[in-house]
Amino acid sequence: QGNTFRDEADVLAQMGENEKALDAYRSARKLFEQIDLTLGLGGALLGEARLQSRQENKNEAKNLASQAAAAYRKAGSVDDERSAWLVVAEAEHSSGNLEPAVSAAREAVRLHAVWRSKRIYETQRAQEDESISAAYDILVPVLLSQARTEQALAAAEEARSDRKSTRLNSSHITI
């Protein structure tokens, strides 16, 4: 039933029924907490965090995404934990909290590297490599604005390398 509430919340959020979506995410959360299903809990928390972020409730989004990251870590879901850290990074960045944004973005990048080291399909890798670019979009300008040029250049080179690797791997599928 928790998955049903979470799926309903996702649909309601897409329809712009934000208050109903928040209620459904919270109902899903309660059910997942009762049965100690951390992966489901993480999904409900992350869905709610994304919705709160779209509604400009950045502090609430950050707190929910942090809880989602912890739930995903407990469940061992690296790719979902990475997604949660990206929401934390974006919320911190848009709130002007630059150091926490950099820390969260770096954690997302670290988890992305762990995820990439596993055996995965190239099409999936290409999609996920594209999503991690949001972390680099936070890291590079913030580091530059703080005159941390060497770190900014290293992050930019890392981002370029990830994108180049994705393009090369994608081309091998068609060869």
Side-chain angles (χ1 to χ4, degrees):
Q1 195 172 6
N3 288 328
T4 302
F5 278 126
R6 191 184 59 224
D7 292 345
E8 178 185 345
D10 291 342
V11 171
L12 287 167
Q14 288 177 0
M15 293 171 48
E17 297 284 342
N18 295 337
E19 290 310 311
K20 290 179 182 177
L22 289 172
D23 288 341
Y25 282 127
R26 291 175 185 140
S27 294
R29 244 198 309 162
K30 286 178 187 172
L31 288 169
F32 289 130
E33 286 171 345
Q34 287 173 355
I35 61 172
D36 197 30
L37 187 60
T38 53
L39 190 59
L41 177 61
L45 287 162
L46 187 56
E48 188 177 348
R50 286 178 171 146
L51 183 53
Q52 292 285 3
S53 181
R54 283 195 301 271
Q55 293 182 312
E56 299 299 318
N57 300 326
K58 300 300 182 183
N59 201 40
E60 185 67 13
K62 176 192 67 160
N63 291 334
L64 289 162
S66 295
Q67 291 175 53
Y72 286 136
R73 178 167 287 154
K74 185 177 177 184
S77 181
V78 173
D79 55 332
D80 291 323
E81 184 183 351
R82 178 199 57 218
S83 296
W85 280 110
L86 279 173
V87 174
V88 171
E90 291 164 355
E92 292 286 19
H93 185 249
S94 64
S95 297
N97 302 324
L98 301 185
E99 281 308 309
V102 166
S103 294
R106 282 191 170 144
E107 182 62 7
V109 168
R110 184 190 72 76
L111 289 166
H112 185 71
V114 169
W115 177 82
R116 279 186 110 233
S117 70
K118 297 180 179 181
R119 296 187 72 133
I120 53 174
Y121 296 108
E122 290 303 325
T123 52
Q124 184 183 19
R125 180 177 298 197
Q127 291 168 344
E128 296 300 324
D129 281 354
E130 187 62 34
S131 74
I132 199 63
S133 67
Y136 291 111
D137 291 346
I138 291 170
L139 276 173
V140 175
V142 169
L143 293 172
L144 278 174
S145 74
Q146 296 174 338
R148 293 159 64 181
T149 309
E150 286 184 31
Q151 292 176 21
L153 288 173
E157 177 58 30
E158 211 174 284
R160 189 182 72 76
S161 175
D162 273 357
R163 290 180 182 123
K164 182 178 178 182
S165 171
T166 300
R167 282 194 309 274
L168 285 172
N169 289 335
S170 296
S171 69
H172 289 175
I173 294 169
T174 58
I175 291 177

